[in-house]
């Protein structure tokens, strides 16, 4: 097989797309000199692709409905049994549907990707199976992971198991709902703006966005390399620490990983919080739309930690709202360039690329009208930044991200943890199918200004359920310095041991 060569007329067309003035004759002259380059393409085309081996058998699975899918949280059910023993023996796991499980369909919440079947397992899938986990299938996620509400996926809305008709949060909506409903012990989520912590908070479970690069992202569909995270969502702190222990560490294939430092997370449990210094972040309570019921429960949780011997003081980081602003150009232009123009994974990095995903996802161009409203508004702003401003605000925001990180790091010189509400509000109603554009967009993005800071800085951040407000869960967020997930687990376990949080 040889790859298709352009005609001279096609070269002239390409030239014009690239702002070049080129006559057909000149195009023909260039064309004649391309044969050596295309011969190299033929050699590449003839070689087999490099893909990680698939090590545990699985069936293609099926799409459950009715009783078997009460909350709309399952995309596919397919059982994969891992090793006979290991740290996760006896544990059941659901994967966010942007995580590749070879042989089982993956649509990442988008009809434009429907029908895609990955050919290899994500690194974290192999790690969990090697540790003895049983994978139960794929959990619905929001379209291309681009919403904090659970109303934007093409398989349909995901309901909050605590209250039908209410948002499960996004974008790891199905992952949180399945854990909250007790259908699986553990789930994998993804977080570029809050997508692990938002649904964890709305559903009342534990969700950890670990330090950027601690967990290998290989085989997970990206949004933007510098803010991509994947990680554990669980019903208990111990399970969360255990799962992170299995997931963490370099795999040699992911450009997000720069010498990650893996901790002994389960060993941090049971140590208590005596002497830990916790800064209660003033600006974390001032995010627009923050409800009194949320503030009260999170402040009460801080007092409870003080009662256990932690040293609690209020601190201020004026950069907190600025960091949320910096997230916007990075995410909107970065995702438009990488996920949309770059066919999912983009270019210019070394590691494992999913060739089949390039082929399948690139078809969004012929079905663009089917994209979600939330994706459309993000892509329109991102494209404006790229085309009108030529990406200068993306570039500037990436520089400013270092100043933002330094502002938090200055506090970590004095404090072990920062504490704040995960989200301004408790779960909201799922918008009706005929809801206005305004409502659809508001329910998707209104909470992101509380969580996205730590996607920009990369610091580890975990949502911990700490009480009910209007009968719906409130999340407390604990944040630590890079690679200090252990101290978060230490405090989370001490808080969890205080008893049933739904009674707080
Ligand atoms: N993937 C995310 O974390 C995200 C969350 C909310 C809005 C956009 C993106």
């Amino acid at each position: 097989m040889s790859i298709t060569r352009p005609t001279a007329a096609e070269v002239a067309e390409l030239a014009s797309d690239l702002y070049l003035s080129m006559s057909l004759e000149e195009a023909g002259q260039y064309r004649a000199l391309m044969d050596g380059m295309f011969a190299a393409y033929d050699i590449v085309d003839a070689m087999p692709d490099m893909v990680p081996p698939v090590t545990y058998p699985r069936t293609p699975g099926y799409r459950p409905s009715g009783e078997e899918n009460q909350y709309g949280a399952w995309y596919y059910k397919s059982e994969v049994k891992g090793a006979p023993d290991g740290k996760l023996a006896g544990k059941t796991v659901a994967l966010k549907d942007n995580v590749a499980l070879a042989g089982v369909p993956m649509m990442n919440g988008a009809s434009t990707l429907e029908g895609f079947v990955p050919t290899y397992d994500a690194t974290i899938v192999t790690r969990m199976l090697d540790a003895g986990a049983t994978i139960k299938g794929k959990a619905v996620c929001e379209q291309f992971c681009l919403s904090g509400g659970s109303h934007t996926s093409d398989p349909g809305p995901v309901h909050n198991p605590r209250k039908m008709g209410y948002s499960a949060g996004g974008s790891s909506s199905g992952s949180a709902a399945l854990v909250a409903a007790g259908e699986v012990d553990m789930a994998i989520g993804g977080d570029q703006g809050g997508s692990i912590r938002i649904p964890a908070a709305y559903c009342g479970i534990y969700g950890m966005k670990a330090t950027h690069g601690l967990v290998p992202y290989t085989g997970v569909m990206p949004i933007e390399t510098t803010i991509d995270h994947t990680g554990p969502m669980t019903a208990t702190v111990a399970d969360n620490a255990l799962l992170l222990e299995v997931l963490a560490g370099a795999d040699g294939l992911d450009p997000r990983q720069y010498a990650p430092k893996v901790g002994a997370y389960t060993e941090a449990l049971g140590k208590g919080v005596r002497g830990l210094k916790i800064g209660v972040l003033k600006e974390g309570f001032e995010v627009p739309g923050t409800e009194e019921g949320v503030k009260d429960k999170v402040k009460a949780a801080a007092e409870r930690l003080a009662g256990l011997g932690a040293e609690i003081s209020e601190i201020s980081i004026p950069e907190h709202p600025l960091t949320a602003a910096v997230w916007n150009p990075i995410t909107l232009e970065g995702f438009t360039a990488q996920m949309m123009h770059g066919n999912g994974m983009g270019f210019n990095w070394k590691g494992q690329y999913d060739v089949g995903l390039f082929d399948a996802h690139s078809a969004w161009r012929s079905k663009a009208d089917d994209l979600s409203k939330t994706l459309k508004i993000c892509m329109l702003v991102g494209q404006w930044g790229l085309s009108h401003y030529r990406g200068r605000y993306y570039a500037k925001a990436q520089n400013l991200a270092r100043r933002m990180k330094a502002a938090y790091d200055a506090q970590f010189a004095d404090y072990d943890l920062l504490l704040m509400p995960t989200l301004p509000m408790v779960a909201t109603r799922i918008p009706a199918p005929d809801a206005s554009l305004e409502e659809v967009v508001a329910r998707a993005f209104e909470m992101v200004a509380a969580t996205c800071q730590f996607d920009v800085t990369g610091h580890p951040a975990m949502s911990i359920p700490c009480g009910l407000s209007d009968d719906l869960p409130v999340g407390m967020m604990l944040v630590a310095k890079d690679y200090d997930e252990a101290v978060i687990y230490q405090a989370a376990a001490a808080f969890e041991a205080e008893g049933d949080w739904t009674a707080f």
Side-chain angles (χ1 to χ4, degrees):
M1 275 282 285
S2 61
I3 69 143
T4 306
R5 270 69 167 162
T7 62
E10 283 167 329
V11 170
E13 216 175 296
L14 289 171
S16 144
D17 290 348
L18 290 168
Y19 319 101
L20 306 169
S21 328
M22 198 178 272
S23 68
L24 191 57
E25 192 194 346
E26 222 183 332
Q29 289 165 354
Y30 278 103
R31 169 63 192 86
L33 299 175
M34 291 174 186
D35 285 332
M37 294 171 183
F38 288 125
Y41 269 73
D42 284 341
I43 291 171
V44 172
D45 189 46
M47 288 189 278
D49 189 14
M50 293 276 290
V51 290
V54 176
T55 44
Y56 298 86
R58 73 281 318 264
T59 53
Y62 64 100
R63 267 184 100 159
S65 56
E67 277 287 275
E68 243 197 306
N69 202 3
Q70 268 188 280
Y71 307 107
W74 287 108
Y75 171 48
Y76 252 74
K77 279 192 176 178
S78 164
E79 190 168 284
V80 193
K81 279 197 190 337
D85 44 40
K87 281 185 180 181
L88 299 184
K91 302 287 186 188
T92 55
V93 182
L95 306 173
K96 182 177 186 175
D97 190 37
N98 72 336
V99 179
L101 180 63
V104 179
M106 167 175 131
M107 68 182 281
N108 201 356
S111 63
T112 63
L113 191 59
E114 201 167 359
F116 171 61
V117 181
T119 55
Y120 62 90
D121 288 343
T123 297
I124 53 173
V125 167
T126 305
R127 284 186 181 172
M128 291 189 290
L129 292 170
D130 283 343
T134 298
I135 291 173
K136 291 290 204 178
K138 309 293 294 284
V140 167
C141 67
E142 298 312 298
Q143 199 195 83
F144 293 131
C145 306
L146 232 67
S147 162
S150 65
H151 57 291
T152 71
S153 79
D154 287 327
V158 179
H159 293 263
N160 192 318
R162 294 207 159 257
K163 202 167 183 180
M164 287 300 283
Y166 279 72
S167 179
S171 63
S172 311
S173 39
S175 300
L178 292 171
V179 170
E183 294 196 30
V184 288
D185 299 315
M186 306 172 152
I188 294 294
D191 194 314
Q192 287 87 0
S195 285
I196 286 176
R197 295 161 287 154
I198 296 164
Y202 272 6
C203 291
I205 65 161
Y206 298 89
M208 170 66 96
K209 181 208 77 69
T211 311
H212 188 246
L214 178 67
V215 177
Y217 204 85
T218 308
V220 185
M221 187 162 168
I223 287 182
E224 213 291 337
T225 301
T226 68
I227 54 170
D228 287 329
H229 302 76
T230 182
M233 303 174 74
T234 60
T236 67
V237 177
D239 268 359
N240 208 286
L242 184 68
L243 182 51
L244 187 63
E245 248 168 39
V246 169
L247 301 177
D251 76 347
L253 297 169
D254 177 11
R256 298 162 190 78
Q257 300 194 287
Y258 12 81
K261 294 189 195 69
V262 181
Y265 312 118
T266 52
E267 285 168 30
L269 310 175
K271 286 190 176 166
V273 291
R274 188 157 301 284
L276 281 190
K277 293 203 172 101
I278 303 180
V280 176
L281 183 64
K282 177 173 159 283
E283 289 79 8
F285 291 76
E286 294 168 354
V287 176
T290 303
E291 295 169 357
E292 290 304 320
V294 168
K295 288 185 203 172
D296 291 348
K297 296 293 167 167
V298 177
K299 288 204 165 126
E303 275 157 33
R304 213 174 258 280
L305 288 166
L308 293 171
E311 293 173 31
I312 309 277
S313 23
E314 188 177 88
I315 63 157
S316 168
I317 303 180
E319 287 85 350
H320 194 62
L322 305 180
T323 311
V326 164
W327 179 81
N328 279 264
I330 292 175
T331 303
L332 301 172
E333 293 178 46
F335 122 85
T336 302
Q338 174 169 343
M339 188 183 237
M340 305 315 284
H341 297 311
N343 301 323
M345 316 196 89
F347 298 87
N348 315 107
W349 53 273
K350 272 190 185 292
Q352 182 65 44
Y353 285 74
D354 190 330
V355 177
L357 185 62
F358 267 72
D359 292 337
H361 178 44
S362 61
W364 71 265
R365 292 171 182 78
S366 58
K367 314 173 215 172
D369 291 343
D370 297 338
L371 294 169
S372 67
K373 291 166 177 157
T374 47
L375 191 134
K376 284 176 186 168
I377 191 171
C378 290
M379 186 164 65
L380 288 165
V381 177
Q383 187 65 16
W384 181 249
L386 293 172
S387 62
H388 192 78
Y389 288 107
R390 305 291 189 206
R392 74 184 306 281
Y393 290 104
Y394 177 91
K396 185 173 182 183
Q398 287 290 7
N399 288 337
L400 289 170
R402 294 194 297 277
R403 180 184 138 202
M404 302 304 144
K405 186 176 182 66
Y408 295 92
D409 282 339
Q411 296 295 336
F412 288 127
D414 297 323
Y415 293 93
D416 299 296
L417 290 163
L418 304 183
L419 183 156
M420 68 207 82
T422 305
L423 303 178
M425 66 283 297
V426 294
T428 49
R429 261 186 186 290
I430 292 172
D434 62 348
S436 66
L437 178 62
E438 184 186 2
E439 188 185 347
V440 168
V441 170
R443 294 296 86 78
F445 298 128
E446 62 197 350
M447 72 300 276
V448 177
T451 48
C452 68
Q453 288 85 355
F454 306 109
D455 295 286
V456 170
T457 66
H459 293 116
M462 183 180 194
S463 185
I464 294 140
C466 70
L468 294 173
S469 171
D470 293 333
D471 270 337
L472 287 162
V474 174
M476 155 173 74
M477 185 157 61
L478 293 178
V479 185
K481 66 177 186 293
D482 282 0
Y483 303 118
D484 204 1
E485 284 78 6
V487 76
I488 298 180
Y489 286 128
Q490 186 182 334
F495 184 80
E496 182 188 41
E498 285 284 278
D500 179 6
W501 60 267
T502 63
F504 294 171

